[in-house]
Amino acid sequence: MDRYKEEFIEFMVDCNVLKFGDFVTKSGRNTPFFVNTGFYRTGTQLMRLGKYYAHAIRDNFGLDFDVLFGPAYKGIPLSVAASIAISEDYGREVRYCSNRKEVKDHGDKGILLGGPIQDGDRVVIIEDVTTAGTSIRETLPIIQAQGKVEVPGMIVSVDRMERGTGRQSALREISQTYGFKTAAIVTMAEVVEHLYNRPYKGKIIIDDALKAAIDKYYQQYGAED
C-alpha cells in the first residue's frame, strides 16, 4: 500500500472521522464502522485533506482536466481544498466549481459558484464517501447542462465496499451507469489491512473482535466485486 494511503488512514483516525463501534447507516444497516467527514473542521485538516485528494486524483485520473466539481454541500470545501493542493503540489491550475441548492437570481447569478463550466471542459467530480448515486443523479445533469463537457471520473475519500442497490458496490454501479471511472483515496479493505492488530499511538484500533464484526458485516452487505 502506498505510504500516502497509510497516512490518510491515520489522519482519519486522528480527526475522529473514522470511528469503530455500533452505528446505524441511513439505509438502516447496523455497521461496526462509520466515516463522518464533518469532523474535518480546521484549516490544517482541510489543507492536508486536499493534499490526499490531489494525490489520489493524480494517481487515478492524471491532471489533464479543467474543473474539479464538488456537489453541495460537503463537496464545496473538498473542491476548494483539492484544487489548491493541485496547484501547490503539482503546478496545475484547475477551476473549482460547485452547485447551489437554490438558484441565485441576483449578484453572482445562477446555480453554480466558483469557476464556470464551458464547452470542451473535462470535469472531475469530488465527493466525501461512497454514495448510492443520489448526488450524481442530481448534479450530473447540472454539469452537462453547462455545455459539451467530458467527465473523466469521480473521486471519493473512502470506498465502503458494500452493496449499492444491487450486488455490486455503489462506486461500481455509478461507474457502469454513467460510463466514467470511479476511485477512492482508500478502501475499507486497505483500512483494515493497515490497522488490524497493528499499534497506532500505543493502541490497537482493530483487534480480533472488531475484525470479526467487520468480516460479519461484509458477509451480509459486502459487494461482489
Side-chain angles (χ1 to χ4, degrees), residues 8 11 15 40-55 77-78 80-86 88-89 185:
F8 180 64
F11 174 63
C15 294
Y40 295 123
R41 294 173 174 173
T42 71
T44 298
Q45 289 172 346
L46 287 174
M47 178 183 66
R48 289 188 61 187
L49 179 62
K51 289 180 178 292
Y52 291 125
Y53 265 112
H55 197 148
L78 299 181
V80 173
S83 62
I84 292 172
I86 289 171
E88 289 185 341
D89 292 352
I185 302 176

Side-chain angles (χ1 to χ4, degrees), residues 1 15 19-20 22 31 36 38 40 47 62 69-70 74 84-85 125 130 133 148 152 154 164 180 182 214 222 225:
M1 188 190 320
C15 294
K19 303 179 182 180
F20 297 97
D22 186 14
T31 173
N36 185 353
Y40 295 123
M47 178 183 66
F69 185 91
K74 287 186 176 180
I84 292 172
I125 300 170
T130 307
K148 296 180 180 179
M154 182 182 80
F180 54 72
T182 55
I214 293 172
D225 48 338

Side-chain angles (χ1 to χ4, degrees), residues 129-205:
V129 186
T130 307
T131 70
T134 304
S135 176
I136 292 298
R137 286 193 296 271
E138 295 174 352
T139 58
L140 193 58
I142 295 172
I143 295 172
Q144 294 172 331
Q146 308 308 309
K148 296 180 180 179
V149 301
E150 179 185 349
V151 179
M154 182 182 80
I155 186 79
V156 301
S157 62
V158 181
D159 180 359
R160 288 182 59 97
M161 300 177 61
E162 57 191 84
R163 295 198 306 269
T165 58
R167 305 297 299 180
Q168 294 181 321
S169 71
L171 276 184
R172 179 63 64 86
E173 287 181 353
I174 290 169
S175 180
Q176 292 189 346
T177 300
Y178 298 104
F180 54 72
K181 182 180 178 180
T182 55
I185 302 176
V186 295
T187 67
M188 276 306 299
E190 290 171 326
V191 170
V192 173
E193 174 189 341
H194 184 59
L195 295 179
Y196 176 49
N197 275 345
R198 181 178 298 177
Y200 177 63
K201 294 186 175 179
K203 180 181 178 181
I204 297 294
I205 296 174

